[in-house]
Amino acid sequence: NHTLSALLIDEAVVSTQSTGKYKMKSVYAHFPININIINDNTHVEVHNFLGEKFVRRVNLMPGVTCKPTGQKDEIMLEGNDVENVSRSAALIQQSTTVKNKDIRKFLDGVYVSEKTHIVELEE
């Protein structure tokens, strides 16, 4: 188990020294999903998911900001800690989980479309 603990320590060091960028895209069949970025780019609101009036609000993890990419139905999450960026992306994706319907048919949601990790090596 010596190698596993060394690997976990290496991963922890890499995650604190790397910047992460995740692009997320909203996918919908009929009702267009609206994504609003609020509170100084630290909160995301998902409107009109499956035509529901309920507004899904996601608080992003510390150090993570969100901004539109300029493309239709796409946002970008970025931050200095890759783990917090990926956890924020997971929270947004989980907020649009389809309940009580056939998930093979209802593929609507907000999904990660691209991941970028920039590792800064210390000399």
Side-chain angles (χ1 to χ4, degrees), residues 41-93:
N41 298 341
T42 59
H43 292 68
V44 174
E45 285 184 345
V46 180
H47 294 267
N48 202 31
F49 175 67
L50 294 179
E52 297 173 1
K53 296 292 180 208
F54 178 74
V55 177
R56 289 154 172 80
R57 290 182 180 85
V58 178
N59 302 335
L60 302 179
M61 301 299 293
V64 180
T65 58
C66 181
K67 64 182 182 184
T69 61
Q71 292 186 6
K72 187 175 183 287
D73 301 326
E74 192 174 62
I75 59 172
M76 180 188 288
L77 302 175
E78 54 188 353
N80 289 334
D81 189 355
V82 174
E83 193 166 324
N84 280 353
V85 175
S86 63
R87 284 179 66 190
S88 298
L91 288 171
I92 294 172
Q93 184 171 333

Side-chain angles (χ1 to χ4, degrees), residues 104-120:
R104 296 169 296 182
K105 178 77 175 150
F106 291 86
L107 299 172
D108 297 30
V110 182
Y111 299 103
V112 174
S113 62
E114 188 179 319
K115 298 178 184 179
T116 310
H117 301 289
I118 300 131
V119 179
E120 295 141 9

Side-chain angles (χ1 to χ4, degrees), residues 10-19 80-83:
D10 286 346
E11 285 293 320
V13 169
V14 166
S15 73
T16 58
Q17 296 171 348
S18 60
T19 305
N80 289 334
D81 189 355
V82 174
E83 193 166 324

